[in-house]
């Protein structure tokens, strides 16, 4: 170990990884995961689904194009930590308004550079995501392991990242009114709906079915978000009540919530899916989509047999469920993020399908 390292990561199995600090300082325990995207670190940093997580980037050079004002996925990024091989603090990009380091300091997001990210990512891939302590290089291993053992990862992330009050995003030519349940929603989802003529009323995660029905939406959207979907029983109950009342579309956590509301089960993946290069097969068309993903949990395929949902999409890497639908109940959802455009346009048809469903129901309540 070189003596000038000033930060390190301690995994709960006792492994230590040394590096240098950037971003915010301070000690914290987080779930450590990896992301295989080759670009998009600003969107990753500001995605609410990464709340309480330390994200290891597999792509080695991060920070080189800075931070652009229009590319944030949330107003207040809440990632726990970003771990990279090499950080560049002199971005070359005419759109850049700030460095990654300055934004991370502003939002209290810890950073470590100089880590052997290949070794660390292989460890997560082989043994699964786990708790990790981000701390000073001088912290004794025994003390670090005690801190990790004594810390329970929180289960209230959705309530912390969801909006506290309803708000409205208007489209230029409004044809439909969509109620979007915010479980940690990425702003590009709202923009994608606005571009298709949807006025979007964003409501908090625990809004009741009665409150949503009272605004008379043409369609209901359930967003992505952090954590275990079973941690939000209020949202599951709301969706269970709303099924059949209007077209329902869910993405990521919203996909899991719809499945649970219909009687299916979910389970935690070994290391999750995170990155913009996951191949997914659309079973309805036979086409392959290159998708962007960010989740730790998946829908149990066998449990869907006792629900009105059928499988529409499958992940070609591990054959997990990537999409479900019920034509009778006007419900469909996908595990991946069509608004992230990794294909780049492979999955945007899903928003168009939501529009067609609202048109078929005669929706014109904008």
């Amino acid at each position: 170990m070189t003596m000038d390292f000033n930060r390190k990561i301690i995994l709960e199995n006792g492994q230590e990884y040394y590096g240098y600090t950037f971003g915010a300082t301070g000690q914290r325990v987080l779930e450590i995961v990896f992301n295989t995207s080759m670009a998009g670190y600003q969107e990753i940093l500001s995605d609410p689904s990464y709340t309480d997580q330390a994200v290891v980037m597999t792509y080695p050079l991060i920070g080189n194009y800075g931070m652009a004002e229009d590319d944030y996925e949330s107003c207040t990024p809440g990632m726990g930590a970003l771990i990279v091989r090499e950080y560049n603090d002199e971005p070359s990009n005419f759109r850049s308004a700030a460095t990654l380091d300055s934004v991370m300091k502003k939002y209290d997001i810890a950073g470590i550079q100089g880590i052997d990210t290949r070794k660390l990512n292989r460890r997560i891939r082989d043994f699964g995501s786990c708790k990790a302590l981000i701390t000073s290089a001088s912290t004794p291993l025994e003390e670090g392991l005690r801190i990790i053992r004594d810390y329970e990862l929180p289960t209230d992330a959705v309530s912390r990242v969801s909006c506290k009050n309803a708000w409205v995003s208007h489209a230029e030519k409004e044809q439909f009114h969509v109620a979007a349940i915010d479980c940690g929603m990425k702003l590009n989802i709202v923009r994608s709906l606005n571009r298709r003529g949807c006025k979007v009323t964003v409501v908090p995660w625990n809004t009741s079915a009665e409150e949503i029905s009272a605004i008379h939406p043409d369609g209901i959207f359930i967003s992505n978000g952090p954590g275990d979907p079973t941690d939000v029983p209020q949202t599951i109950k709301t969706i269970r009540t709303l099924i059949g009342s209007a077209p329902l579309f869910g993405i990521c956590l919203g996909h899991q919530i719809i499945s649970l509301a219909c009687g299916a089960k979910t389970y935690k993946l070994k290391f999750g899916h995170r990155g913009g290069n996951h191949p997914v097969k659309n079973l309805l068309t036979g086409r392959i989509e290159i998708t962007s993903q960010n989740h730790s949990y998946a829908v149990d395929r066998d449990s869907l047999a006792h629900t009105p949902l059928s499988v529409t999409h499958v992940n070609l890497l591990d054959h997990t469920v990537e999409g479900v639908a019920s034509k009778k109940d006007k419900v469909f959802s996908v595990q991946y993020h069509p608004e992230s455009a990794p294909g780049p346009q492979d999955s945007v048809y899903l928003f168009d399908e939501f529009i067609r469903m609202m048109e078929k129901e005669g929706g014109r309540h904008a």
Side-chain angles (χ1 to χ4, degrees):
M1 183 188 73
T2 305
M3 294 309 293
D4 60 351
F5 286 133
N6 59 10
R7 295 285 274 172
K8 71 176 176 180
I9 305 166
I10 301 177
L11 303 185
E12 59 181 311
N13 71 349
Q15 286 188 348
E16 296 177 290
Y17 296 81
Y18 288 84
Y20 305 95
T21 187
F22 74 104
T25 57
Q27 185 168 274
R28 61 202 71 191
V29 179
L30 304 158
E31 179 185 29
I32 193 165
V33 299
F34 65 81
N35 186 295
T36 58
S37 297
M38 296 180 68
Y41 60 78
Q42 178 171 351
E43 291 84 350
I44 292 166
L45 187 87
S46 57
D47 182 348
S49 295
Y50 285 114
T51 300
D52 300 327
Q53 290 181 330
V55 179
V56 187
M57 298 300 295
T58 60
Y59 189 74
L61 179 62
I62 302 297
N64 53 307
Y65 55 83
M67 304 288 279
E69 292 290 350
D70 296 333
D71 293 348
Y72 288 92
E73 290 289 4
S74 65
C75 297
T76 53
M79 178 189 287
L82 186 65
I83 301 162
V84 305
R85 174 59 184 170
E86 180 182 351
Y87 169 66
N88 183 297
D89 200 44
E90 297 180 353
S92 177
N93 176 8
F94 74 95
R95 295 179 67 239
S96 177
T99 64
L100 175 59
D101 174 72
S102 66
V103 171
M104 290 172 63
K105 287 175 178 173
K106 178 180 179 180
Y107 293 107
D108 195 33
I109 301 170
I112 302 181
Q113 62 167 316
I115 294 287
D116 184 347
T117 51
R118 291 177 299 176
K119 179 180 178 181
L120 180 53
N121 283 312
R122 283 197 298 268
R123 191 274 165 207
I124 299 169
R125 182 195 64 190
D126 293 343
F127 298 99
S129 56
C130 63
K131 288 193 289 185
L133 174 68
I134 313 296
T135 187
S136 166
S138 62
T139 301
L141 176 60
E142 296 76 14
E143 180 184 343
L145 290 174
R146 177 190 59 76
I147 292 170
I148 293 172
R149 283 194 303 268
D150 292 345
Y151 185 82
E152 291 292 330
L153 292 172
T155 60
D156 63 342
V158 168
S159 65
R160 284 184 278 123
V161 300
S162 176
C163 61
K164 307 310 176 195
N165 299 289
W167 58 279
V168 177
S169 180
H170 289 282
E172 185 176 343
K173 295 182 180 179
E174 296 180 345
Q175 293 181 287
F176 305 98
H177 182 197
V178 173
I181 302 175
D182 178 11
C183 296
M185 184 163 55
K186 295 167 67 177
L187 292 176
N188 201 27
I189 292 173
V190 178
R191 292 191 286 263
S192 295
L193 291 168
N194 285 159
R195 282 195 295 269
R196 289 165 175 81
C198 295
K199 166 187 167 184
V200 182
T201 299
V202 181
V203 300
W205 68 282
N206 56 351
T207 304
S208 69
E210 292 74 22
E211 290 173 293
I212 292 173
S213 296
I215 66 173
H216 305 293
D218 298 309
I220 300 164
F221 175 81
I222 309 96
S223 85
N224 64 293
D228 186 339
T230 61
D231 289 337
V232 288
Q234 301 96 317
T235 315
I236 296 169
K237 179 183 177 182
T238 292
I239 296 305
R240 185 178 296 125
T241 304
L242 290 171
I243 287 175
S245 64
L248 264 72
F249 176 26
I251 287 176
C252 200
L253 185 69
H255 159 76
Q256 299 161 17
I257 288 171
I258 284 175
S259 299
L260 289 167
C262 289
K265 297 179 180 179
T266 56
Y267 63 97
K268 189 168 186 179
L269 296 165
K270 182 178 181 181
F271 49 78
H273 297 160
R274 295 174 182 86
N277 44 17
H278 286 255
V280 167
K281 184 174 183 178
N282 183 330
L283 301 180
L284 304 178
T285 65
R287 296 185 64 180
I288 310 302
E289 303 169 30
I290 302 303
T291 70
S292 177
Q293 309 212 3
N294 175 16
H295 60 102
S296 295
Y297 292 80
V299 174
D300 178 73
R301 187 164 192 163
D302 293 339
S303 69
L304 289 167
H306 308 291
T307 75
L309 301 172
S310 57
V311 179
T312 59
H313 298 73
V314 175
N315 189 303
L316 294 181
L317 298 179
D318 59 9
H319 308 293
T320 52
V321 174
E322 291 283 354
V324 296
S326 171
K327 188 174 182 179
K328 175 178 68 73
D329 294 319
K330 301 171 289 189
V331 172
F332 76 109
S333 63
V334 290
Q335 183 63 79
Y336 53 97
H337 284 266
E339 83 289 344
S340 292
Q345 301 295 322
D346 292 16
S347 306
V348 294
Y349 71 90
L350 293 161
F351 288 103
D352 299 327
E353 177 61 25
F354 189 39
I355 298 299
R356 283 192 291 270
M357 290 173 68
M358 290 189 287
E359 286 178 339
K360 187 176 180 181
E361 293 299 308
R364 287 292 188 276
H365 296 145

